Amino acid sequence: MSGPLSGIRVLELGQLIAAPFATRLMAEFGAEVIKVEPPGEGDPLRKWRKMHEGTSLWWYLQSRNKKSIAVNLKSPEGLDIVKQLARSADVVVENFRPGGLEKLGLGWDVLSSLNPNLVMVRISGYGQTGPYRDRPGFGAIGESMGGIRFTTGSPEAPPARVGVSIGDTLASLHGVIGALMALLRVKTGQGAGQVIDVSLVESVFNVMESLVPEYDLLGEVRTRTGGALPGITPSNTYPTRDGGFVVIAGNSDPIFRRLMTAIGRPDLAEDPALRNNAGRSQQSAMLDGTIADWSKTQTVEEALAVLEAADVPAGRIYSVADIVADPHYQARDMILQAELPGGTQVKMPGIVPKLSDTPGEIRWQGPALGAHTDAVLGELGLDAERIAALRAKGAVA
């Protein structure tokens, strides 16, 4: 089976999260991704979070379908290998601090001169330009400056973070989108390669909806509102009798009427003041209290049964145990069985999105450091003797 990116070669010069997540998506849909890692320890992600026999489980997921080559970018020979790979690559993805590749002699001017059709995705904290470009920037900083943390959590508590590296992931997705648009331009003969400049801050900021015009025209500073969705009513998280919670989204006009009828408040369903979202938002506290009064008389299962029968969008808040056990996840191939080195079986997330004719696939899990060095260098025309000489010099491992 070949994916829609079959025949596309991607050179990854990245570590940890943002660049590697972008290339993982490309690899799942058929791209040949060659990941360049420093000899010795490799990508630090290999040792992050929970481990299996000395290797991170996150690594096995993040680097599946990739080829790992161990190349010393501080050696002239190592830099020459990267340049040779760039000649035949369609995309380079990197997440050095701005200027980092230039210091190595691998800047855009150098690589694009070798390959005018090359697309370079550059992911950094603040972007390649601007007064903050040289500052170190991780996903947490992008989330903070991008606005999402100011709006996340309870109004009585300090700003909260999402429990995953959402800033890095959003930057990755923007990087993939940019790369595909630039590749389309190249492959259809409309122009040469170009740089995709992705900022962690701007990637988060880009999903912040109408935050800016609300502030500019109305002086509205959107802040933390717990489980509610400001100005979209009712949509919140409500407690149940058994100590659980249900998320209920009754914010369209017909759904609101069905919701109120289902919880025994037909008077509110027919109230002219509540017929549209603007009117409901003016009475959001009352409506949330009314729904909570009902939900507290139900278990999670009872509440969901009532709401499903009324065709009201609702759901439980899933833990990972709920996700793995859920039949819908399983039916959609979102929980897949994988095999780690040594034969250990482990469940891994499936592939998103679902393509009908050219779906993505998992060919192997994250590889050992340098597992593909000899094969990739062999494709560049280096024989075993030359590779051994490079290894002796410390240029590769």
Side-chain angles (χ1 to χ4, degrees):
M1 185 185 298
S2 61
L5 295 181
S6 179
I8 298 297
R9 171 173 277 192
V10 179
L11 185 60
E12 182 197 308
L13 303 176
Q15 294 186 349
L16 297 176
I17 306 172
F21 184 80
T23 56
R24 168 195 150 190
L25 297 181
M26 297 179 191
E28 288 173 347
F29 287 94
E32 178 193 17
V33 174
I34 300 174
K35 179 177 177 65
V36 178
E37 298 187 75
E41 294 296 323
D43 189 329
L45 191 72
R46 289 178 176 273
K47 301 297 181 184
W48 275 30
R49 295 189 62 82
K50 302 296 183 181
M51 314 281 279
H52 171 73
E53 296 183 356
T55 299
S56 166
L57 290 169
W58 192 358
W59 165 262
Y60 287 118
L61 169 63
Q62 186 84 310
S63 299
R64 60 191 184 190
N65 295 344
K66 298 181 187 180
K67 297 177 179 178
S68 169
I69 64 171
V71 176
N72 182 3
L73 297 183
K74 296 180 180 179
S75 72
E77 295 87 356
L79 294 176
D80 186 60
I81 288 169
V82 171
K83 290 176 184 177
Q84 290 185 62
L85 290 170
R87 290 180 188 274
S88 62
D90 296 285
V91 183
V92 170
V93 183
E94 63 100 357
N95 61 347
F96 283 73
R97 197 183 300 189
L101 280 188
E102 283 73 10
K103 290 178 182 177
L104 293 171
L106 296 174
W108 170 245
D109 57 337
V110 173
L111 298 186
S112 63
S113 69
L114 297 172
N115 180 356
N117 286 330
L118 185 67
V119 171
M120 177 180 273
V121 178
R122 313 197 74 169
I123 303 177
S124 62
Y126 302 93
Q128 300 297 312
T129 62
Y132 301 160
R133 72 181 291 270
D134 294 324
R135 295 182 180 179
F138 275 23
I141 309 304
E143 294 159 26
S144 301
M145 286 189 62
I148 198 168
R149 291 209 183 186
F150 194 81
T151 61
T152 302
S154 167
E156 293 81 25
R161 71 169 298 159
V162 178
V164 294
S165 303
I166 193 69
D168 290 288
T169 304
L170 288 172
S172 301
L173 294 173
H174 282 89
V176 171
I177 293 168
L180 295 180
M181 289 190 288
L183 274 175
L184 182 63
R185 177 173 182 258
V186 171
K187 297 300 183 181
T188 55
Q190 299 178 62
Q194 59 185 300
V195 172
I196 315 302
D197 180 0
V198 179
S199 155
L200 291 166
V201 172
E202 293 162 2
S203 297
V204 174
F205 178 63
N206 196 34
V207 302
M208 294 307 297
E209 302 174 349
S210 54
L211 205 69
V212 168
E214 289 172 3
Y215 170 70
D216 187 47
L217 287 182
L218 307 175
E220 176 75 17
V221 177
R222 195 185 299 186
T223 186
R224 298 177 294 288
T225 54
L229 199 55
I232 303 175
T233 307
S235 182
N236 212 331
T237 303
Y238 303 94
T240 58
R241 189 180 78 234
D242 54 351
F245 295 91
V246 290
V247 174
I248 302 173
N251 42 282
S252 83
D253 298 345
I255 292 175
F256 171 75
R257 291 191 290 273
R258 295 200 298 271
L259 170 60
M260 291 299 105
T261 301
I263 69 173
R265 293 302 304 267
D267 56 315
L268 297 179
E270 301 304 323
D271 187 338
L274 303 175
R275 283 183 180 169
N276 58 46
N277 182 66
R280 293 192 295 272
S281 293
Q282 292 177 8
Q283 302 189 54
S284 59
M286 179 274 290
L287 289 173
D288 278 339
T290 298
I291 298 168
D293 287 343
W294 170 79
S295 67
K296 286 186 283 190
T297 68
Q298 312 285 311
T299 65
V300 170
E301 294 295 341
E302 291 167 348
L304 292 177
V306 170
L307 297 169
E308 184 176 349
D311 200 22
V312 172
R316 68 177 75 246
I317 296 177
Y318 272 24
S319 69
V320 65
D322 296 320
I323 290 172
V324 170
D326 187 88
H328 188 78
Y329 271 85
Q330 295 169 7
R332 296 273 298 169
D333 289 330
M334 285 311 302
I335 306 296
L336 300 178
Q337 201 69 25
E339 184 174 300
L340 302 181
T344 298
Q345 298 293 308
V346 63
K347 290 181 172 63
M348 289 281 187
I351 295 175
V352 179
K354 308 293 187 189
L355 276 63
S356 61
D357 291 339
T358 54
E361 64 176 331
I362 300 166
R363 299 183 296 281
W364 62 83
Q365 306 307 313
L369 176 60
H372 302 93
T373 300
D374 288 15
V376 171
L377 295 185
E379 292 174 5
L380 293 178
L382 279 67
D383 59 22
E385 184 177 350
R386 177 61 178 148
I387 294 172
L390 289 172
R391 193 163 277 129
K393 287 186 174 182
V396 302

